[in-house]
Amino acid sequence: MEYRRLGRTNYKVSILTIGGFGPGVYPDAQAAIKAVENAISEGLNMIDIAPSYAEAEIRLGPLIKKYRDRLVVAEKTLERTYEGAWRELKTTLSRFGVNSLDIYQFHAVGSLEELNKIFSEKGAAKAFLEARDQGLIKFIGITVHADMRVALKALEMFDFDTILIPVYAAAMTMPRPENDFRPVLKVAMDRDIGVIAIKSIAKRRYVGEKRYTTWYEPFDTQEDIDMAVWYTLSQEPVATYAMAGDIRLWPMILSAGKRFKKLSLEEQSKVVEVFREKGAKPLFPENL
């Protein structure tokens, strides 16, 4: 497994990250725990998790405590107020039985209104800064899923250490300001911000039967997953890709990660064209 520097954090992280959503929602708790232990045994040393991921914190808390010295733990909160963020952080630390988290993130920020609330006098940012001063968290990050313009604005407002965004080939079948990750990656590169990618294997929004616990329809053959994961990991300065929200897809993603081959610009363009022919579309904006 390849490892990369996660921006200014200087953590050396595996190019694949354990995504907490899949293990949190999978019906079989023991199978979910086993999938995470297997990922750790394969060399993955970063986990991205949230209290909003169903049972994820409860199921995986003992594993995080057990492997704390080996894992870079990235947590996140949907709370936007000072009191709410403090309350949720303390609950998470208690569930994990640990003294600190490596990265704490504002989760799924979707609008300028949310950003303004976070950075208001009684906003969550104040709690994050206090927690960092007290050594409860080391680095501060943000995750933006739907609109890259919000991500760019956030990076103007605060000097984040990490950012988590969708970086996926299907977005480039119809680039729009909402889904074009390239300007965000440029800022991250210029300022040494660690980039965590999501949605790599997204094909489009579901059409018809929903076969996976991912909210989008994923690519689900080894060939397509190879192309998708290699495309994402070929974008600079992406450090790692958080695996999809269905643990049944993890074996193919792990295989792609272990065999990672950096794609040339020509090969990247070819992946986009192949996916376009297969009906791939950006997840945002919704009306595409």
Side-chain angles (χ1 to χ4, degrees):
M1 186 67 61
E2 182 181 328
Y3 296 82
R4 294 177 177 175
R5 177 176 169 273
L6 184 64
R8 67 179 70 157
T9 71
N10 281 322
Y11 291 131
K12 292 299 286 286
V13 298
S14 49
I15 55 174
L16 297 179
T17 284
I18 299 165
F21 180 80
V25 301
Y26 196 68
D28 185 336
Q30 289 306 310
I33 292 168
K34 186 175 180 180
V36 173
E37 288 203 286
N38 178 65
I40 294 171
S41 74
E42 292 280 9
L44 275 65
N45 72 341
M46 183 167 174
I47 185 166
D48 181 75
I49 191 168
S52 56
Y53 290 165
E55 298 295 310
E57 285 195 341
I58 294 168
R59 291 178 177 180
L60 304 184
L63 287 183
I64 289 173
K65 183 177 182 181
K66 178 181 177 181
Y67 295 107
R68 184 66 188 92
D69 292 342
R70 292 168 54 180
L71 292 175
V72 175
V73 180
E75 252 287 356
K76 46 201 179 188
T77 180
L78 289 170
E79 295 290 341
R80 304 301 187 226
T81 66
Y82 174 83
E83 292 83 1
W86 259 122
R87 181 175 59 251
E88 194 151 84
L89 174 58
K90 290 176 179 177
T91 299
T92 292
L93 290 170
S94 176
R95 281 176 173 169
F96 293 170
V98 300
N99 296 321
S100 67
L101 302 172
D102 298 304
I103 303 166
Y104 204 43
Q105 304 161 101
F106 302 108
H107 186 193
V109 179
S111 68
L112 296 181
E113 289 75 20
E114 281 185 83
L115 279 175
N116 288 332
K117 187 171 184 179
I118 287 167
F119 289 102
S120 67
E121 185 179 349
K122 296 182 179 180
K126 183 180 178 182
F128 276 49
L129 292 169
E130 288 181 4
R132 186 176 66 182
D133 289 344
Q134 294 177 29
L136 299 178
I137 63 175
K138 295 183 178 71
F139 298 101
I140 295 175
I142 187 170
T143 86
V144 180
H145 297 203
D147 194 334
M148 296 304 96
R149 295 170 298 183
V150 174
L152 289 169
K153 184 62 178 177
L155 295 180
E156 287 179 16
M157 294 175 68
F158 186 80
D159 193 21
F160 286 99
D161 300 305
T162 66
I163 187 164
L164 179 152
I165 57 169
V167 180
Y168 62 115
M172 293 296 99
T173 62
M174 284 185 272
R176 298 289 189 277
E178 293 92 332
N179 63 48
D180 192 344
F181 50 79
R182 293 171 296 184
V184 182
L185 295 185
K186 175 65 166 59
V187 174
M189 176 76 80
D190 291 345
R191 289 169 46 190
D192 200 21
I193 298 167
V195 178
I196 305 157
I198 55 171
K199 304 293 186 286
S200 176
I201 67 168
K203 181 178 182 181
R204 61 192 172 203
R205 289 173 179 262
Y206 272 105
V207 178
E209 179 188 6
K210 183 176 180 181
R211 298 173 52 217
Y212 297 97
T213 55
T214 50
W215 69 266
Y216 54 84
E217 180 182 344
F219 288 108
D220 60 359
T221 68
Q222 188 67 64
E223 180 182 16
D224 287 343
I225 286 175
D226 284 354
M227 287 191 287
V229 171
W230 296 356
Y231 178 92
T232 294
L233 292 175
S234 295
Q235 309 308 308
E236 295 184 359
V238 170
T240 185
Y241 156 53
M243 295 194 295
D246 193 315
I247 63 172
R248 292 172 295 177
L249 296 164
W250 284 14
M252 287 186 285
I253 297 171
L254 286 166
S255 175
K258 288 190 289 186
R259 293 178 294 103
F260 170 64
K261 170 196 167 192
K262 186 169 183 179
L263 303 181
S264 67
L265 292 176
E266 183 179 349
E267 289 170 324
Q268 292 173 34
S269 296
K270 185 176 179 181
V271 170
V272 173
E273 289 307 311
V274 169
F275 284 179
R276 181 183 284 116
E277 291 172 6
K278 293 187 176 193
K281 291 183 177 181
L283 302 177
F284 298 98
E286 294 183 38
N287 57 353
L288 284 181

